[in-house]
Amino acid sequence: MVLRELELRHFRNLGVQELHFPPEGVAVIGENAQGKTNLLEAIYYLESFRSFRGAGDGELCAFSRDVFHLKGWVDGNSPATVSAGFDRKRKRKKVSVDGSEALRISGALGRLGAVVFSPSDVELVTAGPHVRRRFLDIVLSLNGNGYVESLSRYRKALAQRNAALRANAPTPAVRAWDEGLVVHGARVTHLRHAWTTTWSDTFETYCTAISGCDSVGLAYRSDLWRGSEVFGADEEEVGERFAARLHESRETDLRRGVTTVGPHRDELLFTIASRGRALAVRRYGSGGQRRTAALALRLTEAATIRRRRRTDPILLLDDAFAELDEGRSLRVMSLLREEGTGQVILTAPKESDARLRGPFLERWRIREGVIEA
């Protein structure tokens, strides 16, 4: 995919601008706190309609402004014009594709095929399980299979069941939500596990290629299976297991006032082998191993887009090599070239840091949010 044009209206500190991107991409050079990351955030917003930095929509409006608007023209296998805006006073988000407002935002997801690489990606490895579940939710929501609908229905059923538990509602009132929880939760768990299984070998290959030696394993641990029990690969089996575990945990749930089993408690695991044991990279990995695993996960996300959508993804590199040693940086750049990167939009504080594709990328400058092509 190729982002051809981007129209900005009061997003963060970027003011009112219209940008025309070269097909191969661009390197945006500027000192810190000038708006480089804001630009990548704006582009990725048109992919997912949310901030990759975790900011709320209201925080994305410029100071003294109540509305922001973005519009992008994308060329590729499925050309499209995507626009999005948010009104802070009315708390309303509007998303359109090719001029028609999307009745459901989920129907407009994933039009750019963009992947963000950032130094903060190390949190995918070091932070709590909810960060990795969020990564899976985003990847699967942007790449089809009805995941986003199943996740939404699961969350609604979970919220209703938890509300009944907190209110000490009668058992039938609690159990009324179990069927929806099981049906949609089984789908969520099955698709998460299937993605992890499909891509674990690719992830490990990337890790070895980046580090030059270390291998990091990737696995999905479901809260429904204990210890060494074998995960049920069939969605129906997952549902049966979920129903059984809900029954087992009913007294605990009533006592705690919350649902204690389900995909909202699952985990994506990064492991390293040591003396026949699999140790969590989060706890036992070195800084280099953690950064390697995070980069490999982003490369795996890009590979998912490439296979699912049959197009090279747009790579958004936010000073992505800042915390890597020279060897890892060179190996990552080599991998990106080999995989087929498509358009690259990268940011760097100085010219010498814009290493990917070297002089072949056009240089833009940014100062106080204003971009000079």
Side-chain angles (χ1 to χ4, degrees):
M1 302 296 287
V2 172
L3 177 63
R4 179 164 47 88
E5 297 178 36
L6 177 66
E7 183 181 281
L8 300 152
R9 296 287 184 273
H10 308 303
F11 184 92
R12 297 279 197 183
N13 75 329
L14 298 176
V16 178
Q17 302 183 70
E18 293 183 15
L19 306 174
H20 299 261
F21 292 86
E24 66 277 8
V26 67
V28 182
I29 312 298
E31 295 180 0
N32 292 335
Q34 299 304 304
K36 300 189 302 295
T37 303
N38 294 346
L39 175 61
L40 300 188
E41 185 179 31
I43 295 170
Y44 193 74
Y45 194 92
L46 293 176
E47 166 81 352
S48 66
F49 308 116
R50 61 192 300 173
S51 164
F52 72 77
R53 300 151 90 180
D57 289 327
E59 300 173 68
L60 304 179
C61 295
F63 291 123
S64 77
R65 298 283 181 171
D66 291 315
V67 177
F68 75 77
H69 184 265
L70 302 168
K71 188 173 184 179
W73 288 260
V74 185
D75 292 334
N77 292 347
S78 302
T81 301
V82 185
S83 64
F86 182 74
D87 186 321
R88 183 160 45 191
K89 283 187 175 179
R90 298 169 62 190
K91 296 183 179 179
R92 182 173 185 267
K93 182 186 297 188
K94 180 179 178 181
V95 171
S96 299
V97 177
D98 294 330
S100 298
E101 184 174 357
L103 298 179
R104 301 178 64 182
I105 291 177
S106 60
L109 291 169
R111 299 291 173 144
L112 272 67
V115 179
V116 181
F117 292 74
S118 165
S120 64
D121 285 344
V122 73
E123 294 179 7
L124 291 169
V125 180
T126 61
H130 70 284
V131 173
R132 290 176 285 284
R133 288 194 296 268
R134 181 175 180 268
F135 168 82
L136 286 171
D137 290 342
I138 291 172
V139 170
L140 290 167
S141 294
L142 293 174
N143 288 284
N145 292 328
Y147 181 85
V148 68
E149 182 177 356
S150 295
L151 179 65
S152 176
R153 292 188 176 187
Y154 175 77
R155 286 175 171 171
K156 288 178 181 177
L158 179 65
Q160 294 287 356
R161 190 177 193 271
N162 285 342
L165 287 167
R166 287 193 300 272
N168 292 315
T171 297
V174 175
R175 293 184 63 182
W177 302 104
D178 286 7
E179 183 178 356
L181 205 68
V182 167
V183 170
H184 302 299
R187 181 70 174 162
V188 167
T189 300
H190 173 72
L191 289 174
R192 285 178 180 174
H193 180 261
W195 182 89
T196 307
T197 301
T198 297
W199 292 102
S200 59
D201 287 348
T202 300
F203 170 84
E204 291 183 31
T205 299
Y206 284 143
C207 281
T208 302
I210 294 169
S211 67
C213 57
D214 296 331
S215 178
V216 179
L218 180 69
Y220 186 73
R221 183 177 68 192
S222 171
D223 181 60
L224 304 179
W225 274 264
R226 300 186 180 95
S228 60
E229 293 177 333
V230 178
F231 190 99
D234 181 80
E235 186 177 336
E236 185 177 346
E237 184 180 348
V238 176
E240 292 172 355
R241 183 71 175 205
F242 194 1
R245 289 296 309 278
L246 276 177
H247 180 75
E248 293 172 8
S249 66
R250 186 158 289 126
E251 292 301 320
T252 302
D253 292 356
L254 288 169
R255 186 171 64 254
R256 297 185 181 180
V258 67
T259 303
T260 58
V261 297
H264 60 288
R265 296 174 59 87
D266 290 355
E267 169 70 297
L268 185 66
L269 299 174
F270 302 101
T271 59
I272 48 176
S274 176
R275 298 180 182 180
R277 294 187 301 163
L279 302 179
V281 174
R282 178 188 179 193
R283 295 184 61 188
Y284 299 101
S286 66
Q289 287 171 323
R290 293 170 180 173
R291 285 189 286 273
T292 293
L295 274 166
L297 195 63
R298 287 302 189 196
L299 286 168
T300 304
E301 180 182 357
T304 301
I305 291 173
R306 193 175 293 112
R307 181 185 296 181
R308 178 70 181 172
R309 308 187 204 179
R310 297 180 181 179
T311 186
D312 288 328
I314 299 172
L315 299 188
L316 308 176
L317 306 179
D318 187 23
D319 203 9
F321 306 135
E323 298 181 11
L324 292 181
D325 58 58
E326 187 67 19
R328 278 184 168 85
S329 293
L330 291 173
R331 286 189 287 270
V332 170
M333 287 187 283
S334 177
L335 269 175
L336 290 173
R337 293 189 197 99
E338 292 171 6
E339 292 291 313
T341 56
Q343 189 179 39
V344 175
I345 301 172
L346 66 83
T347 68
K350 54 185 183 293
E351 184 83 22
S352 59
D353 292 330
R355 292 175 284 180
L356 186 65
R357 293 189 178 177
F360 301 107
L361 283 183
E362 184 176 324
R363 265 52 172 173
W364 291 357
R365 304 286 170 175
I366 183 168
R367 182 178 175 83
E368 295 182 352
V370 178
I371 298 165
E372 296 181 0

